[in-house]
């Protein structure tokens, strides 16, 4: 793992997304799925599971039986006909995912592996392999692969629901949004570093529909600079994290869009806690970071973690 190479990986995001948009325009990566899918089970760990959790929620909202499980769980759905199992592993070699996959290899389920390493172990026995096309992450941290996983799971959603969506155009807007944040980092990064610097870590908060943004942001702070960080869903925040604002120097990264934003912010104002909003202006926040197309929730889903990633890269480099 290397902080300078991690930053270079982040700076390569717009070009990687443009290339992915071109691949999506050329064809549906999930065209090879069977037509009798009754249930979808995502298997993964870490960033892969974060992205899968959002995808499963979206599929359930569309009426499809879908669940994102820890690959490390001792048991999950049985291997029944009509089940689509989607193991997700950027490296293709996550031990827990491979162990979980072994329960389904050679059964009646259909396996569609999503990986950045075609030909890796996670693809063995798969009826369909979907490459993430994120390129090599030389910094050793899953960042582009996380972003591409989300985009490709939107493609899977479109396939299973029959939804008409111009996904290449969405990915291109995400590339523009990502480039905008990168190009203007000298404007917003000093503020972000100042507001999130505290003795008790960083707390990332996001609506359920984009919970992966909070989870991935917290992971970036833990993985690179090795600082304490945690994630919380916005509505749940009033039930599980609000207590910390009374005793800690509470510093939060808020991804707005929940109907419960104001409920959380009411407590923040009462307790004098510090909130940095990303992608929207939030009353009571110490500052807001805006970027191109941030009024589109799907662009936000694909883009907003970049703020925490760049903050983490700076902290990591300073500590090295």
């Amino acid at each position: 793992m290397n902080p300078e190479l991690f930053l270079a990986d982040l700076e390569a995001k717009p070009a990687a997304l443009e290339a992915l948009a071109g691949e999506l325009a050329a064809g549906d990566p999930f065209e090879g799925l069977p037509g009798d899918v009754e249930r979808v089970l995502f298997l993964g760990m870490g960033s892969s599971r974060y992205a899968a959790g959002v995808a499963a929620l979206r599929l359930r909202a569309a009426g499809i039986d879908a669940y994102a499980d820890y690959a490390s769980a001792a048991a999950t759905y049985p291997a029944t006909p009509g089940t689509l199992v989607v193991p997700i592993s950027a490296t293709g070699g996550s031990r827990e995912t491979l162990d979980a996959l072994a329960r389904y290899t050679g059964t009646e389920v259909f396996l569609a592996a999503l990986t950045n390493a075609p030909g890796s172990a996670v693809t063995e026995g798969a009826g369909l392999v979907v490459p993430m096309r994120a390129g090599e992450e030389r910094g050793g941290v899953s960042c582009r692969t996380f972003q591409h996983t989300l985009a490709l799971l939107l493609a899977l959603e479109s396939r299973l629901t029959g939804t008409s969506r111009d996904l290449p155009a969405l990915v291109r807007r995400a590339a523009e949004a990502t480039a905008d944040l990168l190009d203007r980092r000298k404007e917003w990064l000093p503020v972000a570093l100042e507001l999130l610097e505290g003795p008790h870590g960083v707390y990332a908060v996001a609506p359920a529909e984009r919970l992966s943004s909070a989870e991935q942001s917290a992971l970036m702070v833990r993985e690179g600079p090795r600082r304490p960080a945690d994630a919380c869903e916005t509505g749940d925040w009033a039930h599980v994290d609000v207590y910390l604002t009374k005793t800690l120097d509470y510093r939060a990264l808020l991804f707005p869009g929940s109907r419960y934003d104001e409920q959380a912010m009411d407590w923040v104002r009462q307790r004098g806690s510090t909130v940095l909003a990303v992608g929207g202006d939030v009353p009571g926040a110490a500052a807001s970071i805006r970027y191109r197309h941030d009024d589109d929730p799907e662009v936000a889903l694909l883009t907003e973690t970049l703020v925490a990633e760049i903050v983490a890269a700076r902290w990591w480099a300073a500590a090295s």
Side-chain angles (χ1 to χ4, degrees):
M1 294 173 62
N2 181 291
E4 287 77 21
L5 294 178
F6 173 52
L7 180 59
D9 287 339
L10 299 177
E11 292 171 337
K13 276 189 170 191
L17 285 172
E18 288 287 354
L20 177 62
E23 293 289 341
L24 291 170
D28 180 359
F30 291 96
E31 186 176 5
L33 289 183
D36 60 348
V37 174
E38 298 176 0
R39 170 185 292 152
V40 181
L41 172 63
F42 298 103
L43 296 171
M45 302 296 291
S47 298
S48 298
R49 187 183 60 80
Y50 301 159
V54 168
L57 177 62
R58 293 174 64 100
L59 287 173
R60 290 195 300 273
I64 294 176
D65 184 8
Y67 188 66
D69 210 347
Y70 286 92
S72 55
T76 183
Y77 285 120
T80 54
T83 297
L84 168 64
V85 175
V86 184
I88 306 173
S89 174
T91 64
S94 300
R95 176 183 174 183
E96 301 86 355
T97 304
L98 295 179
D99 287 347
L101 189 56
R103 296 196 291 265
Y104 298 99
T105 304
T107 69
E108 296 180 275
V109 306
F110 189 90
L111 300 177
L114 181 55
T115 182
N116 204 41
S120 59
V122 78
T123 68
E124 295 178 9
L128 178 67
V129 176
V130 179
M132 292 178 183
R133 303 188 185 280
E136 181 186 3
E137 292 175 318
R138 298 175 61 215
V141 177
S142 177
C143 53
R144 291 199 307 269
T145 48
F146 171 73
Q147 193 174 36
H148 285 221
T149 297
L150 286 166
L152 288 165
L153 291 180
L154 290 177
L156 174 60
E157 176 191 321
S158 294
R159 182 74 186 183
L160 294 178
T161 62
T163 303
S164 177
R165 171 197 282 125
D166 190 343
L167 189 57
L170 169 61
V171 173
R172 289 192 176 98
R173 290 198 302 275
E176 293 170 352
T178 300
D180 182 46
L181 278 171
L182 286 166
D183 292 344
R184 293 188 303 103
R185 76 188 100 160
K186 288 184 179 179
E187 300 173 15
W188 60 260
L189 183 56
V191 176
L193 291 169
E194 178 183 356
L195 292 178
L196 297 178
E197 180 71 59
H200 301 130
V202 175
Y203 296 86
V205 185
E209 294 76 14
R210 305 198 323 272
L211 183 57
S212 59
S213 296
E215 293 172 319
Q216 177 74 358
S217 295
L219 175 60
M220 294 298 95
V221 174
R222 293 193 300 267
E223 188 170 356
R226 301 293 201 267
R227 296 191 180 202
D230 204 358
C232 190
E233 194 277 329
T234 311
D236 209 27
W237 185 92
H239 302 270
V240 299
D241 267 20
V242 64
Y243 311 107
L244 300 178
T245 61
K246 194 170 182 66
T247 56
L248 301 185
D249 182 354
Y250 189 86
R251 311 273 177 137
L253 192 63
L254 175 68
F255 301 104
S258 169
R259 70 173 72 179
Y260 302 108
D261 285 344
E262 176 54 29
Q263 174 178 265
M265 290 305 300
D266 184 45
W267 282 107
V268 164
R269 288 188 290 266
Q270 290 182 47
R271 300 279 173 81
S273 299
T274 302
V275 167
L276 172 63
V278 176
D281 296 319
V282 178
S288 296
I289 298 174
R290 303 300 302 268
Y291 55 88
R292 191 174 182 186
H293 307 309
D294 65 10
D295 57 339
D296 184 335
E298 292 187 336
V299 170
L301 176 69
L302 298 178
T303 305
E304 57 196 0
T305 57
L306 181 60
V307 169
E309 289 170 330
I310 292 179
V311 167
R314 176 64 67 88
W315 281 342
W316 188 7
S320 299

